[in-house]
Amino acid sequence: GRSTVMGAELVSSVLMSRSKYFDKFSAYTGILSGLLLLAGDIGAALAPSALLTVLMGVGYVLLTTWFFLTGCRLLQFGQDNARS
């Protein structure tokens, strides 16, 4: 379940990095968080460690930042459409 969501975030972020509608910072934040959390899920199943826990914590902070940045940008799109 969770790995699929992280994979979807990773794909979405890669697509965002190629888009003219989203800034690179948002895209790279999503790519980094997706990689950290996907690796964390796989690593937790194989060999749990304290370093893995810290990296997953950083990944979740980046994921929250990505959600916020992406949500703000989508709200801007909605406001621009409402004005048109």
Side-chain angles (χ1 to χ4, degrees), residues 25-75:
F25 180 75
S26 298
Y28 292 135
T29 301
I31 290 169
L32 186 57
S33 72
L35 287 173
L36 286 173
L37 293 172
L38 196 56
D41 275 355
I42 294 168
L46 300 176
S49 70
L51 176 62
L52 193 60
T53 302
V54 170
L55 291 177
M56 286 185 72
V58 170
Y60 278 116
V61 170
L62 291 172
L63 178 64
T64 304
T65 304
W66 182 77
F67 279 138
F68 177 77
L69 294 171
T70 304
C72 286
R73 186 67 181 128
L74 292 173
L75 285 173

